[in-house]
Amino acid sequence: MPVRLAEPAALAVARPGTRVDLLAATPERAGADATVLAPAALVLDVLDATDGSPALYLALRPEQAQRAVGLPEGTRFAVVVRDPAAAAPP
């Protein structure tokens, strides 16, 4: 599933093979803690698109993907890297 992060600079720490927790903050919960949508999701690819819309491609279970897609417009996504060693540049 492609995910556009609220802070695109976070893509710099994600590499294919990295495990991340996918977090979401919906507009109606602004200022509240983010919800963990997918713990330890596998990063499949990181695309730094030239059109200004970089994306992180994650392997999610079907129920996790359905939950993420069903969130309201304006939801902000973030990731927390679970395995910092995997995120280090080669």
Side-chain angles (χ1 to χ4, degrees):
M1 176 179 161
V3 177
R4 302 211 188 286
L5 300 179
E7 182 53 58
L11 295 173
V13 298
R15 303 269 184 277
T18 303
R19 292 278 177 178
V20 298
D21 291 340
L22 177 62
L23 310 172
T26 58
E28 64 270 1
R29 295 197 66 215
D33 291 338
T35 301
V36 178
L37 291 179
L42 178 65
V43 175
L44 299 175
D45 202 0
V46 180
L47 296 180
D48 188 12
T50 56
D51 66 355
S53 59
L56 187 65
Y57 284 80
L58 300 176
L60 302 179
R61 293 190 313 265
E63 66 274 8
Q64 292 170 327
Q66 288 174 349
R67 188 171 170 204
V69 170
L71 290 171
E73 188 173 333
T75 296
R76 298 173 55 90
F77 294 99
V79 292
V80 175
V81 176
R82 293 189 53 115
D83 183 0

